[in-house]
Structure formats: structure tokens, C-alpha cells
Amino acid sequence: MTFRPTTEHDRAALKAAFRQLMRVGGGGVASSEATRVGQQALSRYGSPNNPDDHAPIDVVADLTIDTDDPVAVRALCRIANGVFVPLPKAQGAVTNWPAAVGTAVKRGADAAEAICTALNDDGQITPEEIADLEILDKLASAIEALVVLQTYARSVGGGE
């Protein structure tokens, strides 16, 4: 057997994210209309009964764009030890600084609260606390909100 860097858990997470992406896309028939593959193939890609049959990256891209939902991209980024950071939709559009600042502060506070909760009992953070308190998800959400602010500032400052 060949060594694979991804774990069974990683691959199951990708399948779960793909199933969620298809649900957002309206199911197999609707999702097949946005891709080059049929409903049966899409079903196999999301099925835990076909553990080695995964969606090709172009199919994931088509569904991500069609649904405007990066759930599968986020799952892949987590596996790659990264985070997906979406950019604001329209460059040069009117920005809502107060709402963006409020979102960044709230999401940052949510992440900080989860971390403090984990540290509260013994000053350490365990893998179980990371999972139970959804610390990685809360940190990713805070980072995304800060990127929105960064994009707004770049548009004002003339930066790329």
C-alpha cells in the first residue's frame, strides 16, 4: 500500500464538505448542470461508501463558483494547514467600514473567548478543546473579517 499524506479523517472531511456544497447547489441534478459530470458521478464523489472516489478539482471549482459557497475549498485549506480568506465581492464598491469593523471585532472576540475558555482550567490548550470550542473555525472567521478591512484600506490607500 502506498503512503498517503492525507488521513481517512481528512478525506472524509472533504467528502462531507462536497456533500454540503451539493446541497447548497440544489442537489445532484442541479449541481450536474453546473459541472462537466453527471448526477451519478457527483453522488459517488460525496459518498462515504466510495472512499477513494473524490471530485476532480475543476468540478469543485465549478460548484464553488456556481453556489458562491467555499465550503469545500475551506476544508481543503484546513487539510493543507491553511485558511481560506475570501475577498470582498466587488472591487471599488462602496464599502461599509462600520459594519466591517464590527464584524472583525466580534469575530476576533469570539476567537479570543474560545481560547481563554480553553486556557482557563489549566493554562494549556488541548486538541480536544480546539475541536470542542471550534477554535480553528473562529480564528479563520476572524482572519477573514480582517482581510475585508485590509481590502478596504488598500482600496483607499491605492495599494494592490
Side-chain angles (χ1 to χ4, degrees):
M1 175 159 203
T2 305
F3 170 77
R4 294 181 68 183
T6 57
T7 65
E8 287 183 29
H9 177 75
D10 292 336
R11 293 185 296 276
L14 289 173
K15 283 189 169 280
F18 188 77
R19 287 191 304 273
Q20 184 177 343
L21 184 60
M22 285 194 23
R23 276 192 300 276
V24 170
V29 173
S31 294
S32 70
E33 292 172 1
T35 70
R36 64 175 173 80
V37 299
Q39 179 181 3
Q40 288 181 329
L42 292 171
S43 179
R44 279 194 321 273
Y45 300 153
S47 173
N49 297 327
N50 299 91
D52 293 326
D53 202 356
H54 290 271
I57 196 70
D58 67 308
V59 171
V60 174
D62 288 340
L63 288 175
T64 299
I65 292 166
D66 185 61
T67 62
D68 195 29
D69 187 339
V71 63
V73 175
R74 276 195 176 97
L76 183 58
C77 287
R78 283 187 194 115
I79 290 169
N81 200 30
V83 62
F84 174 72
V85 181
L87 298 174
K89 297 292 180 222
Q91 299 292 9
V94 175
T95 57
N96 187 343
W97 282 90
V101 169
T103 298
V105 169
K106 179 180 181 339
R107 290 181 182 178
D110 290 346
E113 178 184 26
I115 291 167
C116 290
T117 299
L119 289 170
N120 193 37
D121 57 349
D122 61 1
Q124 301 294 318
I125 299 179
T126 66
E128 293 80 17
E129 289 170 322
I130 294 284
D132 292 346
L133 297 170
E134 300 175 337
I135 289 174
L136 291 175
D137 290 339
K138 290 175 181 173
L139 287 169
S141 184
I143 290 166
E144 291 170 4
L146 288 170
V147 167
V148 170
L149 286 174
Q150 181 185 46
T151 302
Y152 287 1
R154 280 188 178 147
S155 71
V156 171
E160 183 58 31

